[in-house]
Amino acid sequence: MRWTIYVDIDAFYVSCELRDRPELAGTPVIVGPDPKLGRTRGVVLSASYEARAFGVHSAQPVAQADRLCPAATWLPADFRKYGRISEEVRAYLAPRGDRAQPLSIDEVALELADVDQPTAEARAREIQQGLRSELRLPASLGVATDRTVAKIASDRAKPGGIVTVPPDQIAAFLAPLSVRAIPGVGPKTAERLAVAGITTIADFRRAPPGRLRAVVGGFSHELIRLAEGHPLPRSTADEAGPRSRSAARTLVEDIDAAPELRAVLEELSAELTRSLREEGLTFQTVTVGVRWSDFTRTQRGRTLRAMARTEGTLAAEAARLWAAIWAEEGLPQHRRVRTLSITASHLTPGGPSARSLEMFVDDGPRAPPHRAARTERPP
Ligand SMILES: [Mg+2]
């Protein structure tokens, strides 16, 4: 049977920092802009479980976190380090399953193609111990025959646990959980569901399908299937081929410094290239998106003449688009950047070798710099 081991590193940024500062283990540690240094506008990026015990959580304003846990040690974020360690985790996991799919900087779904439950569980324990002893990282793992269920199980295993959900227990496992446990159900959907009297996954099974459809649209069918214990069908996007892949970074503080922004952009290029390579995807369109500190957005993209997939092309194209955005809309207006993103679209699975494709890519200076440019402003 096919099993998925869903690996999620606990308090990832904090755990990365604790590798360099082992003396802080077991104490409240927060990664984010230190409010004691006057950086009162930012948010918490990651908090150790000892800090969470005081009510600190990620995305919380730093001033509030400081009030809740004045004794915490604050550490500045080092995204290069986190990218490097994320790479270590992926390299560690890849040979330990038939397919290792990274789903975020600190989450990997590891598929075991044809194993029984005891084998999958034993593998999960080995991986958890290995991550701890070799990479010095704590992880929570979910083990299930469905990837979504494995992800939900990894959440329930936090921190430092392993939760296995055998196929015949999926429905019972999911029933008492909040609808928020389902990936894809955000606060807004949860709110609409609550208004309709649906707060747990069990409520889903009892609700009339028509009412569900009215609340969550076409997604309802998949949710009902999941609540009944059936694996989620491969999404239509998977079948038709993926439409786009992105990498985005919300900055700790709004930044107006060009070198820092270029460094972030380079990291995003590397991250996106890696995930495209792992999925065997080539791209034809690159788009750079910026969300400014005033919450307006700018986005520019360019479609290449042929499919590409190497980091050089993506990075060069992203850098060019970014330079245009910065020169025209950032610098002259003294704007600060809040979020940066790179999207690769017009994706094709597999295809001829990257080398032969690269030769056809038109990234010479003659090409028009942007085919699509768009600036959105909130009403
Ligand atoms: Mg995590």
Side-chain angles (χ1 to χ4, degrees), residues 223-283:
L223 292 182
I224 294 164
R225 297 266 311 161
L226 180 68
E228 286 172 347
H230 302 294
L232 284 180
R234 291 268 169 200
S235 74
T236 34
D238 274 3
E239 279 159 21
R243 279 197 286 264
S244 71
R245 287 284 179 274
S246 315
R249 189 88 78 240
T250 296
L251 304 163
V252 180
E253 291 172 282
D254 304 341
I255 297 183
D256 61 358
E260 280 183 56
L261 290 165
R262 266 200 307 276
V264 171
L265 200 75
E266 278 167 26
E267 284 168 38
L268 292 174
S269 298
E271 195 177 311
L272 184 55
T273 305
R274 189 166 57 224
S275 76
L276 291 168
R277 194 188 299 132
E278 273 157 359
E279 290 186 78
L281 296 169
T282 56
F283 61 91

Side-chain angles (χ1 to χ4, degrees), residues 22-370:
E23 74 278 9
L24 293 175
T27 70
V29 175
I30 300 173
V31 171
D34 188 346
K36 294 185 178 73
L37 300 175
R39 298 184 174 149
T40 50
R41 294 176 55 227
V43 295
V44 171
L45 295 174
S46 181
S48 68
Y49 282 86
E50 291 79 8
R52 291 180 201 196
F54 290 88
V56 176
H57 59 81
S58 50
Q60 188 173 52
V62 295
Q64 191 185 347
D66 189 35
R67 275 196 302 275
L68 289 167
C69 188
T73 305
W74 289 77
L75 299 171
D78 180 350
F79 290 110
R80 279 174 199 275
K81 182 193 290 180
Y82 310 150
R84 233 167 29 233
I85 296 176
S86 173
E87 192 69 46
E88 287 177 30
V89 171
R90 292 170 193 191
Y92 178 81
L93 292 174
R96 288 172 168 77
D98 295 294
R99 182 162 179 250
Q101 193 176 10
L103 290 146
S104 78
I105 194 166
D106 72 328
E107 295 175 30
V108 176
L110 189 70
E111 279 185 16
L112 307 180
D114 192 19
V115 295
D116 58 10
Q117 184 180 331
T119 307
E121 288 181 291
R123 184 77 55 87
R125 282 193 298 274
E126 283 164 26
I127 286 170
Q128 190 181 50
Q129 281 161 13
L131 287 170
R132 171 65 83 182
S133 60
E134 294 181 36
L135 271 59
R136 289 176 290 137
L137 292 171
S140 300
L141 287 74
V143 184
T145 49
D146 175 70
R147 194 172 83 186
T148 305
V149 176
K151 178 176 167 58
I152 296 171
S154 75
D155 270 337
R156 316 307 295 177
K158 279 170 182 289
I162 298 176
V163 169
T164 302
V165 185
D168 60 350
Q169 288 170 34
I170 291 176
F173 166 73
L174 294 173
L177 303 183
S178 153
V179 292
R180 283 297 306 277
I182 302 169
V185 175
K188 281 189 185 148
T189 304
E191 217 170 274
R192 287 202 303 272
L193 287 166
V195 169
I198 298 161
T199 56
T200 66
I201 297 178
D203 293 337
F204 245 102
R205 300 184 62 179
R206 290 191 286 263
R211 176 136 53 105
L212 284 179
R213 219 172 297 118
V215 180
V216 291
F219 192 33
S220 64
H221 177 69
E222 289 181 16
L223 292 182
I224 294 164
R225 297 266 311 161
L226 180 68
E228 286 172 347
H230 302 294
L232 284 180
R234 291 268 169 200
S235 74
T236 34
D238 274 3
E239 279 159 21
R243 279 197 286 264
S244 71
R245 287 284 179 274
S246 315
R249 189 88 78 240
T250 296
L251 304 163
V252 180
E253 291 172 282
D254 304 341
I255 297 183
D256 61 358
E260 280 183 56
L261 290 165
R262 266 200 307 276
V264 171
L265 200 75
E266 278 167 26
E267 284 168 38
L268 292 174
S269 298
E271 195 177 311
L272 184 55
T273 305
R274 189 166 57 224
S275 76
L276 291 168
R277 194 188 299 132
E278 273 157 359
E279 290 186 78
L281 296 169
T282 56
F283 61 91
Q284 199 164 357
T285 299
V286 179
T287 305
V288 171
V290 180
R291 191 170 172 222
W292 306 97
S293 57
D294 59 3
F295 290 95
T296 58
R297 287 172 206 270
T298 300
Q299 128 180 343
R300 282 177 194 234
R302 191 165 91 88
T303 299
L304 307 167
R305 275 196 209 148
M307 290 292 171
R309 71 169 142 202
T310 67
E311 180 168 349
T313 307
L314 185 77
E317 207 50 60
R320 206 192 320 267
L321 293 164
W322 161 247
I325 293 173
W326 185 242
E328 289 167 30
E329 300 196 35
L331 204 53
Q333 298 171 46
H334 307 288
R335 289 167 106 181
R336 289 168 162 267
V337 174
R338 179 166 289 248
T339 306
L340 260 181
S341 68
I342 306 177
T343 302
S345 52
H346 294 116
L347 302 181
T348 310
S353 81
R355 184 176 291 274
S356 67
L357 285 166
E358 274 318 291
M359 298 171 67
F360 294 98
V361 171
D362 173 15
D363 57 359
R366 293 155 286 107
H370 2 274

